[in-house]
Amino acid sequence: MCQEKVLSLQNLSMSYGSKSVLNNINLDVYAGQIIGYIGPNGAGKSTTLKIMLGLIEEYSGTVELFGVDIATSGYSYKRKIGYVPENAELYDNLTANEYLTFIGELYGMDKSKAAAKAKNLMQQFDMEDVLHTRISSFSKGMRQKVLLISSLLHNPDLIFLDEPLNGLDANSVIIIKDILEQLVAEGKTIFYSSHIMEVVEKISNRIVLLKDGEIAADGTFEQLRKQNKQGSLESIFNQITGFDEHKQTAEKFVQIVTDGDYDE
Amino acid sequence: MMSKFALKTLDLLQPFFRILRIDYAMMRKILETKLTMDERRTPTIFASDASNKKKDSNQFVKSLLIYVLYGLILVPFLFFGNNYIFQISLIFGISMFILMTSMVSDFSAVLLDVRDKTILHTKPIDSRTISAAKITHVAIYMSMLTGAFISIPAVVMLRIHGIAYFMLFLVAIILLILFIMTITALLYIFILRYFSGEKLKDIINYVQILLSVGIVIGYQIVARAFEIVDFNYIYNFSWWNVFIPPMWFGAPFELILNRDTSLGMMILSSLAVIGPIVSVMFYYKLMPAFERNLQKLMGSTEKTKPKRWNMNAMWEHLFCRNKEERQFFRFSSLIMAREREFKLKVYPTLGFSLVFPFIFQFNYLNLHTFEELSHSNMYFTIYFCMMFIGLVVMMLQFSSKYKAAWVFQVTPIVHHSSIYSGTLKAFIIKLFLPLYLLLSIVFLFIFSIRILPDLAIVLITAILHTLISYKVLNNRKYPFSEVFESTQQSGSTMKSFLLMFVVGLFFLVHLFFSKIIYGVYLYLVILLVTTIISWRIVFKMK
């Protein structure tokens, strides 16, 4: 693994009003890593991504991407980043071709080059027949593929993925996993944020667990397993986030469901 | 085609954008995409069908025709001599109202599009360029809209007042658009700074409602204004005039065309130039803050406090027969109060029904005294408040979240008849009754207690009419279960017009009985019995 530092967060803190979201995060990421970025809802995962993408500016601490501080470097660092947002936001009045070309151009690509590349990539997903169809008619899985293509079109070095497998069928999931692995082999860095622990466990070569705005665990899956004496990432996750009451909660829940106070 | 023209025109302004350090090529690309999307907006039903590109004419262009008609309202003012400060201030006051409310209601979506945040701001583009694209996008539409709005007045103007007047008007209206656009954006910045995104959406919703009510009522007021206002009025400058923007734009006409170089005119005229420029500068400064606060629209973590249910619980138990009826009463009340699209389509008509009964009384007052009015039978104008019932009852079947109606299909509802009876009761009690009570109180003041039985008749007629409207128009199983787009089915529009005649019929019967001694009481009893029986029949439980 080459040791080029792609991303570095130093004392990163962020709060909305009085509510602290990120608390003194320190993280260095090197080229060729797939980071499984996990944590319970509201732990600050999306906020971290948004800060690195320049969507949020009022943080404290330093964020360095590709060795430059993004607070002072201007926007050009974004050229090397690809991003799949969590809730499949895209301009769905456009056709897949129009959308992908537009995004390519936004990343500074040549129009015809972006169009050709988009077409080729769509073909690989067997979607060439819907290239000129509006995205609004696409299924959730198709949209997700379009989003994925749009994030990779410009050959980025650092890729942020927020629940990228949302709505994809089992076969597509396998393809995407393989794509990610090969991208990393090419020296790309992937920041993978998800709630599906099985996938994170398999894909990532490093796992960072966020809890209440702080890094609660950081290491390979093997390391985490040794430290926590648990078999799967899911149970490690439960242990670290202090959630050991799932049995009791489930029992209570079912008890309330089956409680016989339903009157006809 | 239209967007190509707009972009070509924009190319002429290229140097201006370069001065502001905006990446013009990138901005043009964003605009081109946005305009393409706009041309495809609305008919969601055909969304899957990309092949019929020819039908993709921009809905907006069609709506421009309406603005051409709106423009007619300015024409009469042009005939009022050379008292420019008065005449032009009125014209600009009206223009400002119409343009600003349209800006809020039609283009807020552009200013507040949060998809831009994830799609554009994550790309290597200067945020100043994105903001510029946004405001230019709005500006393109605003200039077309304004162009349509002033097209007829412009022709009249050229004929009556000549070219100098027209050129001055053109410059003034451009300054006005700049002012309106930036002031609206500044208003949003302010609201987003202190309130949640949901609050802003509510405010926009109410402005949309205000626009539709304002235009209709505005016409009525303007039409009457000429009888009241004295156009030979001599203008004296007062300090508070500087806070009325339409007057800024009236002043240059006095200054240049009438050579009135008094201090007041100088101050107001300079404000016509300074005002827009300062607001643009503020906008330029605050835009980054605006983009940051837009974040609020994406995640609403706002907690609503559970409201006191006492009132609703009371209504429910007073008027609903069984549990299911109560449920749907509650559900429908909530939807009617919260769904923005429903409110947008229905609340303006509520406004009309509140105003129309009085408009005819004002007409009457033109020829008669108040004393005569209070002894007349002009209280029958209260029937106008019933005109909208048919429309609202029709609207009760639509919702923007119509798909959620599957819950009615999968749940074991026992009394299907209770569904709509609960909904109709919610409409009568939550929407109609407040309106009716308000009108009744005012009417009792005007016409004295003698009209009490007549008012009772009106209330019962309204309930009966609601039932008839439901039978004629609706007759569906579940409320709020159809998509809004299907509203335009010609059949139901025809029917809702017919229902207005039914109201007329009710009025005639009422009028007839009012001529007979004790006829009113007789009619009241007949009506009451009929209503109760027909309600029972329509919503009979199996």
Side-chain angles (χ1 to χ4, degrees):
Chain A
M1 196 187 289
C2 62
Q3 289 293 298
E4 186 199 340
K5 203 194 273 182
V6 175
L7 188 163
S8 165
L9 308 178
Q10 289 144 30
N11 305 320
L12 178 65
S13 296
M14 165 79 203
S15 54
Y16 289 116
S18 57
K19 204 176 93 198
S20 167
V21 186
L22 291 179
N23 202 352
N24 234 4
I25 302 269
N26 284 292
L27 185 68
D28 286 330
V29 175
Y30 299 91
Q33 289 187 329
I34 296 195
I35 311 281
Y37 196 54
I38 56 176
N41 287 326
K45 294 182 309 277
S46 309
T47 308
T48 326
L49 290 187
K50 280 177 184 167
I51 288 173
M52 290 191 283
L53 285 159
L55 294 179
I56 299 175
E57 282 159 10
E58 49 288 81
Y59 58 87
S60 67
T62 324
V63 179
E64 281 179 18
L65 296 185
F66 313 106
V68 288
D69 185 345
I70 62 163
T72 52
S73 71
Y75 53 84
S76 56
Y77 75 91
K78 293 182 189 173
R79 204 157 283 156
K80 293 193 220 164
I81 296 179
Y83 175 47
V84 173
E86 188 186 0
N87 34 13
E89 297 225 58
L90 27 72
Y91 296 131
D92 56 8
N93 274 338
L94 299 178
T95 67
N97 172 55
E98 286 166 336
Y99 181 75
L100 291 171
T101 315
F102 175 59
I103 298 295
E105 283 181 280
L106 290 184
Y107 276 118
M109 289 174 81
D110 188 52
K111 187 170 182 176
S112 55
K113 212 172 155 190
K117 202 165 173 181
K119 190 181 168 198
N120 273 336
L121 290 171
M122 285 287 280
Q123 252 162 11
Q124 301 316 306
F125 282 139
D126 287 327
M127 286 170 72
E128 66 267 41
D129 50 329
V130 291
L131 195 59
H132 296 287
T133 309
R134 284 185 203 174
I135 297 171
S136 50
S137 68
F138 284 17
S139 72
K140 213 171 167 190
M142 287 156 83
R143 281 163 178 257
Q144 202 62 33
K145 286 177 191 166
V146 171
L147 268 180
L148 207 79
I149 293 174
S150 80
S151 73
L152 296 173
L153 208 55
H154 58 294
N155 191 20
D157 294 328
L158 175 59
I159 304 154
F160 293 121
L161 305 173
D162 205 344
E163 293 289 359
L165 303 181
N166 221 335
L168 291 178
D169 62 25
N171 293 338
S172 308
V173 167
I174 294 179
I175 300 176
I176 306 288
K177 276 195 213 163
D178 286 348
I179 290 174
L180 296 184
E181 267 165 31
Q182 292 187 28
L183 282 171
V184 167
E186 294 279 326
K188 311 280 183 201
T189 311
I190 296 173
F191 220 82
Y192 188 99
S193 176
S194 173
H195 289 299
I196 306 163
M197 292 305 137
E198 288 89 344
V199 180
V200 177
E201 182 185 319
K202 287 205 186 89
I203 282 189
S204 319
N205 53 29
R206 181 177 167 193
I207 290 164
V208 174
L209 197 157
L210 210 62
K211 183 198 165 197
D212 300 329
E214 289 177 36
I215 293 178
D218 181 359
T220 62
F221 177 53
E222 295 306 320
Q223 286 168 336
L224 294 190
R225 200 151 68 167
K226 267 180 207 146
Q227 281 164 18
N228 296 281
K229 303 186 178 67
Q230 295 282 347
S232 70
L233 184 58
E234 195 168 48
S235 40
I236 294 170
F237 183 90
N238 290 346
Q239 194 188 14
I240 294 176
T241 52
F243 190 76
D244 48 9
E245 298 159 346
H246 52 98
K247 274 258 157 56
Q248 290 94 307
T249 308
E251 264 167 37
K252 186 91 198 179
F253 190 93
V254 173
Q255 194 198 329
I256 296 170
V257 168
T258 53
D259 202 10
D261 65 349
Y262 178 66
D263 54 296
E264 293 296 310
Chain B
M1 176 204 81
M2 173 221 74
S3 55
K4 282 223 178 72
F5 175 74
L7 287 172
K8 284 262 159 59
T9 319
L10 205 64
D11 286 341
L12 300 175
L13 294 172
Q14 232 183 100
F16 168 74
F17 287 109
R18 295 210 192 281
I19 291 170
L20 291 174
R21 290 183 294 145
I22 285 157
D23 182 350
Y24 182 76
M26 191 59 88
M27 188 186 93
R28 194 180 195 279
K29 219 162 276 167
I30 296 172
L31 275 175
E32 199 182 342
T33 307
K34 294 263 177 181
L35 291 173
T36 320
M37 286 195 287
D38 291 340
E39 280 166 15
R40 295 180 189 169
R41 225 164 23 187
T42 48
T44 36
I45 322 161
F46 312 116
S48 57
D49 205 21
S51 53
N52 58 354
K53 270 188 179 155
K54 283 203 176 125
K55 282 188 178 172
D56 283 347
S57 70
N58 196 329
Q59 289 301 109
F60 177 76
V61 176
K62 284 177 201 151
S63 74
L64 283 182
L65 275 178
I66 299 168
Y67 282 92
V68 173
L69 289 178
Y70 284 170
L72 283 173
I73 199 171
L74 297 182
V75 173
F77 293 99
L78 294 170
F79 290 94
F80 286 94
N82 293 332
N83 195 346
Y84 291 137
I85 183 76
F86 211 65
Q87 174 191 351
I88 302 283
S89 300
L90 276 174
I91 289 179
F92 273 90
I94 295 165
S95 309
M96 203 171 153
F97 173 79
I98 289 183
L99 296 178
M100 191 151 174
T101 40
S102 319
M103 161 96 193
V104 172
S105 58
D106 297 349
F107 307 121
S108 298
V110 177
L111 273 180
L112 304 174
D113 192 348
V114 285
R115 287 180 306 178
D116 287 355
K117 202 83 197 165
T118 32
I119 298 176
L120 298 180
H121 283 264
T122 55
K123 305 294 179 289
I125 312 165
D126 191 2
S127 63
R128 198 184 290 112
T129 305
I130 300 172
S131 305
K134 211 177 230 183
I135 200 80
T136 315
H137 186 194
V138 178
I140 289 172
Y141 282 117
M142 280 305 279
S143 21
M144 287 198 286
L145 193 147
T146 313
F149 182 62
I150 63 167
S151 58
I152 295 176
V155 175
V156 179
M157 213 177 285
L158 272 170
R159 293 212 37 126
I160 305 177
H161 296 281
I163 187 86
Y165 183 101
F166 173 73
M167 293 310 283
L168 201 55
F169 183 79
L170 220 54
V171 173
I173 203 102
I174 289 170
L175 287 169
L176 179 75
I177 306 174
L178 267 182
F179 185 66
I180 286 173
M181 285 196 331
T182 45
I183 278 290
T184 312
L186 288 172
L187 208 67
Y188 286 174
I189 292 172
F190 177 80
I191 294 168
L192 275 179
R193 178 97 179 69
Y194 296 102
F195 299 100
S196 69
E198 284 298 300
K199 195 52 93 298
L200 180 65
K201 285 183 202 158
D202 273 335
I203 292 172
I204 292 168
N205 189 227
Y206 285 115
V207 171
Q208 287 171 317
I209 294 166
L210 184 79
L211 171 70
S212 20
V213 180
I215 283 174
V216 172
I217 296 172
Y219 266 93
Q220 296 293 334
I221 292 171
V222 168
R224 265 153 259 277
F226 297 109
E227 295 158 15
I228 309 160
V229 173
D230 177 13
F231 276 88
N232 298 315
Y233 167 87
I234 295 177
Y235 172 77
N236 282 311
F237 178 75
S238 321
W239 61 271
W240 52 266
N241 288 163
V242 299
F243 295 109
I244 305 175
M247 298 199 73
W248 304 349
F249 301 101
F253 288 77
E254 285 291 327
L255 183 72
I256 296 171
L257 298 175
N258 280 354
R259 311 212 177 279
D260 176 353
T261 49
S262 63
L263 182 67
M265 284 305 155
M266 302 282 258
I267 294 173
L268 288 175
S269 301
S270 54
L271 278 174
V273 181
I274 295 169
I277 290 176
V278 168
S279 63
V280 170
M281 274 160 59
F282 260 108
Y283 173 78
Y284 190 75
K285 275 263 177 296
L286 291 175
M287 198 62 200
F290 178 54
E291 292 293 339
R292 244 176 282 135
N293 281 325
L294 268 187
Q295 200 81 36
K296 276 191 176 178
L297 286 174
M298 296 170 82
S300 105
T301 44
E302 182 190 13
K303 289 187 192 94
T304 42
K305 281 177 230 147
K307 274 208 179 133
R308 48 192 174 89
W309 277 104
N310 313 336
M311 272 303 259
N312 257 353
M314 192 188 80
W315 291 127
E316 273 167 48
H317 286 280
L318 263 179
F319 295 103
C320 297
R321 282 179 296 178
N322 59 46
K323 221 172 77 184
E324 271 157 2
E325 195 175 33
R326 245 169 263 149
Q327 283 162 14
F328 276 92
F329 179 91
R330 205 178 320 142
F331 167 71
S332 307
S333 321
L334 286 175
I335 299 276
M336 284 191 280
R338 302 250 176 94
E339 189 175 326
R340 295 199 182 94
E341 204 161 340
F342 179 82
K343 286 201 273 187
L344 182 60
K345 297 219 151 78
V346 166
Y347 282 26
T349 49
L350 299 184
F352 302 151
S353 23
L354 203 58
V355 174
F356 277 145
F358 295 109
I359 283 176
F360 289 88
Q361 295 184 3
F362 277 124
N363 278 347
Y364 187 84
L365 278 177
N366 278 343
L367 303 169
H368 305 268
T369 62
F370 187 79
E371 189 66 22
E372 281 172 311
L373 175 72
S374 66
H375 288 103
S376 71
N377 59 4
M378 281 303 283
Y379 55 82
F380 277 111
T381 57
I382 199 170
Y383 269 92
F384 277 103
C385 80
M386 245 183 259
M387 288 294 188
F388 77 102
I389 287 179
L391 180 87
V392 181
V393 169
M394 185 172 87
M395 284 299 169
L396 286 175
Q397 49 191 324
F398 304 115
S399 166
S400 53
K401 297 271 177 290
Y402 65 99
K403 280 183 182 159
W406 62 269
V407 292
F408 306 141
Q409 280 154 7
V410 300
T411 45
I413 296 169
V414 186
H415 306 294
H416 275 279
S417 60
S418 303
I419 297 176
Y420 247 110
S421 66
T423 304
L424 291 184
K425 281 176 181 174
F427 155 68
I428 293 169
I429 289 159
K430 287 304 176 67
L431 290 183
F432 181 76
L433 209 61
L435 196 89
Y436 166 81
L437 288 176
L438 194 67
L439 280 173
S440 297
I441 291 167
V442 181
F443 271 51
L444 280 173
F445 269 110
I446 301 175
F447 298 99
S448 86
I449 202 95
R450 74 185 162 97
I451 64 162
L452 209 54
D454 297 280
L455 289 179
I457 287 175
V458 169
L459 178 61
I460 294 164
T461 311
I463 295 169
L464 185 60
H465 187 57
T466 307
L467 195 65
I468 295 171
S469 311
Y470 165 66
K471 248 349 230 181
V472 173
L473 288 172
N474 207 320
N475 227 351
R476 258 170 240 253
K477 221 166 179 182
Y478 309 112
F480 309 113
S481 61
E482 301 285 320
V483 64
F484 267 116
E485 265 87 7
S486 53
T487 322
Q488 276 90 12
Q489 288 164 348
S490 52
S492 43
T493 323
M494 261 304 287
K495 282 179 191 164
S496 65
F497 266 112
L498 276 177
L499 281 168
M500 292 196 181
F501 285 104
V502 176
V503 176
L505 217 63
F506 274 122
F507 155 67
L508 287 177
V509 176
H510 187 176
L511 190 67
F512 169 75
F513 275 101
S514 71
K515 304 284 182 207
I516 309 168
I517 313 164
Y518 294 117
V520 191
Y521 296 96
L522 180 69
Y523 182 48
L524 184 61
V525 172
I526 295 172
L527 209 55
L528 197 62
V529 173
T530 320
T531 307
I532 291 173
I533 291 173
S534 26
W535 190 284
R536 283 272 150 85
I537 293 172
V538 171
F539 294 114
K540 99 175 141 260
M541 292 200 214
K542 281 167 206 148

